Amino acid sequence: MMSSDFVVFRAGVALVLMCSFYKSTEDPLPELSPQQYFSTLQPGKASLAYFCQVGSLSNSLFLEELKEAIRPLQDYGISVSKVNCVKEEASRYCGKEEALMKAYLFRGNILLREFPTDTLFDVNAIVAHVLFALLFNEVKYVTTLEDLHSIENSLKGKANMIFSYVEAIGTPEHRAVMEAAFVYGTSYQFALTTEFALLENIGSENIDRAHLYFFHCKVVLDLTEHCRTTQMEQPLTTLNIHVFVKTMKAPLLTEVAEDPQQVSTIHLQLGLPLVFIISQQATYEADRRTAEWVAWRLLGKAGVLLLSRDSVDMDIPQHANVAFRRAEKEVPVEFLVLNDVDLIVSYVENNMYIEEIQEDEDGVQKGPDLAIQDDEVAETVYRDRKRPLPLELTVELTQETFNSTVTTSDSLVLFYATWHAVSMAFLQSYIDVAIKLKGTSTILLTRINCADWSDVCSKQNVTAFPAVKLYKEGESPVSYEGMLGTKDLLKFVQLNRISCPVNIASIQEAEKYLCGELYKDLLSFTSVSVLGLFSPAMTSAKEHFREVGKQLRGSVITGVYSEDDVWILSNKYAAPLPAMLLARPREGRIESVPLATAPVQEMVQILANAPLEAFPEITVENLPAYLRLQRPLLILFSDGSINPQYRNTTLALVRQKQLDSFTPCWLNLKNTPVGRGILKAYFGHLPPLPQLLLVNLHSGGQVYAFPSAQSITEQNLILWLKKLEAGLENPITILSDQEWKPPLPAFDFLSMMDAPTSQAPTKKVEECMKEAEGQETAEQPQGGKSATRRLPTEMLRIKHWNRSNWPKEAAEEPSQLHREL
Amino acid sequence: MGPLGLLLALAMHLAVCTRPHRDYCVLGAGPAGLQMAALLQRAGRDYEVFERESAPGSFFTRYPRHRKLISINKRHTGKANAEFNLRHDWNSLLSDDPRLLFRHYSKAYFPDASDMVHYLGDFAKCLGLRVLYNTNITHVTLDKDPQAWNGHYFILTDQNGQAYQCSVLLVATGLSVPKLVDFPGSEHVEGYESVSVDPEDFVGQNVLILGRGNSAFETAENILGVTNFVHMLSRSRVRLSWATHYVGDVRAINNGLLDTYQLKSLDGLLESDLEYLALVKDSKGKLHITLKFLLEENNSSQSADSIPLPQDENDNFAMRVAYDRVIRCLGWKFDFSIFNQSLRLSSGTEFSKKYPLIRASYESKGSRGLFILGTASHSVDYRKSAGGFIHGFRYTVRAVHRLLEHRHHGIAWPSTEHPITQLTSSIIRRVNEASGLYQMFSVLADIILLKENATAFEYLEEFPMQMLAQLETLTGRTARHGLFVINMEYGKNFSGPEKDVFYYDRSVAHIEDAWRSNFLHPVIYFYRHLPTEQDMRFRPAQWPLPRPVAVHHIVEDFLTDWTAPVGHILPLRRFLENCLDTDLRSFYAESCFLFTLTRQRLPPFCQQGYLKMQGVSSTKSLRQHGVESRLLQDYTTMEDSNLWLGDQPSAPGPLTQSLDSNKEEL
């Protein structure tokens, strides 16, 4: 690697330059006579001189720009002067009339270049042109692909090249490249082009004003091979080029064996993040190759290091393969599981929200596109908007028809709004239910668009969409509170066909009810039938139970038996009155719960948990019900049906009350394919199946995997759980407890409004105001007469909403705002 | 005190005891009085309306003189939403009865004034409002009493000397006194309120109209075709409502004279201060314009023909022609005369002299419990919003009623509470349909009060935004955890009499330029704390509210339909997310399921929906779109063997191996 003191020194110059760059340069422009001027020239020193006639005023603009250029050129050891041509001291540079407009660049007293003043149109052009002339050898100007290739070939195995495209000579970008060349010209070969076509030839897309590439030619030994290139993605400014070149110079991959939090590289100093690829001895070679590949992809964006897991004395989560450290000091290292290079690269690119290097001069900041939809429901509904739905299967209600419909027939009403994405997604499921029930249901499926009939909706107490209510004759409407999907809604409709609770008339009927024969067709929707048993005198207990039944209508079926011979059932099921029987016809199990003291809310809770199974198959629909138990999930991932032996093992343990502190369950990947995504998140890849895991969702987020080498037996399982409890096992991963932050920033309209020139569109208006004859001063309190410049286009660009800053700004700026307004 | 005094005091005491008491007294059964009465009636309050004529809306029995109302009666909007349709119905009052909509009373776009009289009569009758007709309140005074709601009672006395005692006085008497002119010769001026409306009376005449409002133009419009010419004189330049976006300025329907003026058809507009004028009638009965100071210079001779005229000096003086008629059309002012000084009801500042001085809560600055409603309350938003007109003050009256319900009956400002996931859609719903926000833009605003940790919010509709600092005491709601204010605004420099509202490129299409929107559009302000009175007073010039922490503009829309998923809803959501520092996206149940099992925290949508067993299922077709858009993943086709760099030939070593071996070591 090259690192000469000289380069460092020159880089230092560039940085100093940056600091002085924005200061207004008040240096006076020395005015000399030709004789004075030539007498001051020192051998080897460059100087720029503008020869002009005394008293000529025509060039005041140019002189202003020239004055501005004094300071920057001085930093490169170039002096600037204005030479007044006086008659008695005729100099050939004073020349004729048209030649009055020229500036000359000398090294010592040798003329290097002459510039017509119109090429030096501003300070950028002056600096760019002067440096371009001085660095003639360091910066090769190329116009064809062949030129470029011949330079490239000549450098292979020797040196690297910095190639840039600028729109034109004398632009700010050109100046930035020349300033970089001044600093790095001895270390790298610079090449420059203004040919658009050349850039297309090397395969660039989206060509903007300027581009810069680093050609890694030094490492190329085979002359037939092309040099690898890295494109600089930031806008071309001196500072950005400096940072870019520095990162190119840094080693591609560094191997470290220390705490990632302690590592320091040039990248951090430059405000770039670090990516650690976590390796271990066994796979060192493969990991190193991976890391190199990542390093190439992230060159110029982040530093890449290879971290040896074995030699670091610290806790690295077991499955983490990548560590990410932001440039900000206070942010802790994140351990991640990222399973391919693309993921790592996109993770880094999405998390580079460091203080972006502020470039006042040309603040081109490419933010994320805020107008890209990242809401999956909104986007899918939008994409699906043109597909016609069989809406005719449901009755559309209006203000006129609503009341007459819901009072004359049992109706289910969907309240939705056509502009509301979640409503429209649910409308599809609603229509699916209508399709399934077509011609069979006694309940009328209707819908009302609250975007049109908001009055009707608010009268029904619907203020949020979507909402479903069931209107049954003589009863107050029931709100549907289940999943917004076909399956649960269908269940709700079906279970609501019978009254809730059902009055059971005889012992025989009660037995039929308990074994599931009474409502056979409903068996597929609910696993539990509840029967309340009361002696005829227990009116208040009965009322409470009815209340519970009403609350749960649509999710459980309930019945009441309260005849004189109720003691028969009470004795048979050992249920002292009042009691309820929870019958699971599918399992052939009936249990009794005494009701003596239970308040309504508690009964609701008992019944809501009643359908929970001892060893359920977890699905998207039922997971929340099991999560309410607040226990760690002992979950077996299975591709297809579960091994009956495992079921027996688990059920045996359940019966032995060994698993009371867990929720044993299993997941069928065939029914719940998203389980693959979960496994991938846990393991980083799809592990062999079946896989038994303990997921501690409610405290700590640890995920433990049952050793796949062992067979799942009662003993092994208990032993493993004991080991876990004793803290003898390491989690395979710890679930992230990151907060859900805004996915993207928002437009910061407040600071756009603050910009002093924000009143661009009023320009025309002000012109009119001069002609206004009225005296309506009160209508124009601010006058608005301050000179308004045209709005600079930067202001209209999207700026990052710097979240950490804006409240602070808000506190500081009101006074300023007053002034501006 | 002699026995006589004692007797008098006793008599007065008796009078006090016999005067009927009402909690609420409403003066005037015009649109504003009836609107308030309807609200009080619905709330079951003790109230009475006092009306001096025998039927409601007596103003409309006489005015406008030419009988055409310029408040639009748009009967078709292509939409069914009743609230939205009120945005384009400028005549109806608010009630629960859909039959009491003005469109059932007239088919005309600019309806006849007698239809309004008919409408108001029906409104009072159908709702059974308590109105005392033929009761002219001639005097209002205060009676201090610590027991009273406001520390005093309002004592109203009618033309028969009957007194009434009121806890709260709601003055909805409108502007009833014509504004007069007072200069030498002003006795020759006819008034709008009495001038003939028969064009036949103006045939072949030279007419000068003083004033430049809608009544002046309406009068001119009527006679334009039969006069020699009509000149119109006023202090200020003409203000066209389509340039100022203020419905009280000259409406296009009345601007015939502008057309003929600019098309060189003898009619014309002149600007001058009426105070300097004088009018002289010559022997033939013609009226000459001269200047006051010329009269004063030689006040000796009063013979009309010898009075110096401006054209003697300046022979091209514009108004050198003699007029047959001079008509005053200068509008009306509030009748202060019936209010005793103890009420301290004073007139407003220079620009709203014709209105009584009130707070943004419509309560008089002079006496607590005295509210000004309707047209007379327009000082709050004079020349800005619609508070002086039925379509505006029907909402400000409702706001006053809500304030009173809280102040005297402990009923907090109505609000709805929602989980935070409903935030975006609550705002979208309101900005798309709310009429009060739309009509009373920059006066009434919706307020969202965040609950602790921003997990839920309360939504308050149409609060008088200038009272924001007092929100907690006025509404009975608490604002401890930050708030949003939803307002509608025109572009900051778009409106004004001299503005070119048709300039090229006037509309903003790009969402990043939304803050430069010109046409009426929703603006949302975010505050971490309720602004203080200090903040309100020292807010930046031209800002309706103090500087917020962040502000969002929903880009103006040609159809005023702000429901575009990417153009309107998405930027709003991003704004709200960044204010609350959370993720407000919606997710399908399957995504929530994945998050639940792979993360310790859930986004609010999953937290408040899925976890409560109200997740949103996707359908096959939606899932497919989700996979295409890469927002959803198709897990059924997920590769079994992991492809760590599988497609990168240069780096074959899969890291998976290391992880696998890692596990085996355990």
Side-chain angles (χ1 to χ4, degrees), chain A residues 80-95:
Chain A
V80 180
S81 20
K82 179 184 166 201
V83 179
N84 291 321
C85 295
V86 282
K87 271 197 186 113
E88 51 272 27
E89 279 188 51
S91 156
R92 64 190 169 105
Y93 298 110
C94 286

Side-chain angles (χ1 to χ4, degrees), chain A residues 49-270:
Chain A
Y50 172 54
F51 285 75
C52 70
Q53 221 55 269
V54 183
S56 159
L57 294 170
S58 56
N59 265 338
S60 60
L61 258 179
F62 170 69
L63 284 174
E64 278 306 307
E65 296 292 338
L66 192 62
K67 252 186 213 167
E68 289 237 352
I70 294 174
R71 178 64 71 84
L73 285 178
Q74 229 164 36
D75 290 321
Y76 299 107
I78 303 157
S79 61
V80 180
S81 20
K82 179 184 166 201
V83 179
N84 291 321
C85 295
V86 282
K87 271 197 186 113
E88 51 272 27
E89 279 188 51
S91 156
R92 64 190 169 105
Y93 298 110
C94 286
K96 295 170 220 70
E97 278 301 306
E98 72 269 24
L100 291 179
M101 312 296 252
K102 279 189 178 168
Y104 297 88
L105 179 68
F106 293 92
R107 178 178 278 141
N109 52 9
I110 304 157
L111 175 66
L112 290 183
R113 279 287 298 276
E114 57 178 66
F115 303 105
T117 49
D118 54 354
T119 61
L120 306 182
F121 45 86
D122 67 3
V123 57
N124 291 322
I126 295 172
V127 177
H129 272 284
V130 168
L131 291 178
F132 199 26
L134 288 174
L135 300 172
F136 183 73
N137 288 320
E138 283 93 338
V139 182
K140 292 263 199 305
Y141 183 76
V142 295
T143 52
T144 63
L145 200 58
E146 289 73 47
D147 290 350
L148 187 65
H149 285 325
S150 76
I151 300 174
E152 188 182 337
N153 283 332
S154 70
L155 292 173
K156 281 176 186 164
K158 294 177 195 132
N160 295 325
M161 172 166 75
I162 293 171
F163 166 64
S164 48
Y165 158 81
V166 293
E167 211 172 29
I169 300 297
T171 57
E173 291 81 13
H174 179 218
R175 172 182 169 178
V177 171
M178 294 318 301
E179 290 186 310
F182 187 86
V183 179
Y184 296 108
T186 53
S187 322
Y188 306 99
Q189 178 64 54
F190 278 72
L192 181 81
T193 189
T194 51
E195 296 297 321
F196 194 72
L198 187 50
L199 212 59
E200 284 175 331
N201 277 329
I202 65 168
S204 283
E205 287 164 13
N206 309 324
I207 297 165
D208 333 313
R209 292 177 56 128
H211 283 262
L212 188 140
Y213 302 87
F214 194 93
F215 279 61
H216 304 268
C217 293
K218 201 174 177 183
V219 293
V220 179
L221 299 174
D222 180 356
L223 289 183
T224 57
E225 212 179 296
H226 275 297
C227 305
R228 203 192 268 265
T229 62
T230 307
Q231 185 182 350
M232 173 170 145
E233 291 186 353
Q234 286 77 24
L236 255 62
T237 65
T238 317
L239 192 53
N240 285 346
I241 297 174
H242 170 69
V243 170
F244 179 72
V245 174
K246 281 246 172 186
T247 57
M248 292 302 116
K249 220 170 69 177
L252 182 65
L253 181 67
T254 316
E255 294 192 30
V256 290
E258 56 183 309
D259 181 354
Q261 196 75 59
Q262 306 305 326
V263 174
S264 175
T265 74
I266 181 94
H267 299 94
L268 289 178
Q269 294 159 23
L270 295 173

Side-chain angles (χ1 to χ4, degrees), chain A residues 287 293 318 339 341 374 682, chain B residues 573 597 644-645 650 655 666:
Chain A
D287 296 341
W293 182 258
Q318 196 188 351
N339 297 304
V341 170
D374 49 6
Y682 291 164
Chain B
R573 193 195 84 215
L597 287 174
W644 171 260
L645 304 180
S650 54
L655 207 63
L666 274 172

Side-chain angles (χ1 to χ4, degrees), chain A residues 70 108 134 151 179 208 234 310 338 379 418 422 450 462-463 509 521 540 561 614 638 797 803:
Chain A
I70 294 174
L134 288 174
I151 300 174
E179 290 186 310
D208 333 313
Q234 286 77 24
D310 311 309
L338 294 169
E379 180 66 12
T418 34
V422 175
C450 298
V462 173
T463 50
E509 204 184 18
D521 47 341
S540 77
Y561 187 68
S638 166
R797 290 215 183 94
R803 218 173 311 123

Side-chain angles (χ1 to χ4, degrees), chain A residues 287 293 318 338-339 341 370 374-376 380 384 428 451-452 484 620 628 682 736-737 741 754 806, chain B residues 81 547 549 573-574 581 585-586 588 591 597 600-601 610 613 615 619 621 625 644-645 650 655 666:
Chain A
D287 296 341
W293 182 258
Q318 196 188 351
L338 294 169
N339 297 304
V341 170
L370 303 186
D374 49 6
D375 183 308
E376 59 193 42
T380 50
D384 203 37
Q428 298 203 358
D452 283 341
L484 302 179
V620 171
R628 282 194 310 214
Y682 291 164
S736 152
D737 70 341
K741 297 286 180 188
D754 282 348
W806 54 272
Chain B
N81 189 314
R547 190 182 165 86
V549 175
R573 193 195 84 215
R574 296 212 190 287
D581 200 21
R585 285 179 292 178
S586 42
Y588 286 114
S591 302
L597 287 174
Q600 294 195 51
R601 293 175 200 272
Y610 178 72
M613 295 189 274
T619 62
S621 154
H625 285 297
W644 171 260
L645 304 180
S650 54
L655 207 63
L666 274 172

Side-chain angles (χ1 to χ4, degrees), chain A residues 764, chain B residues 500 502-507:
Chain A
K764 217 177 244 167
Chain B
D500 173 11
F502 297 109
Y503 73 87
Y504 191 70
D505 258 358
R506 64 192 170 278
S507 68

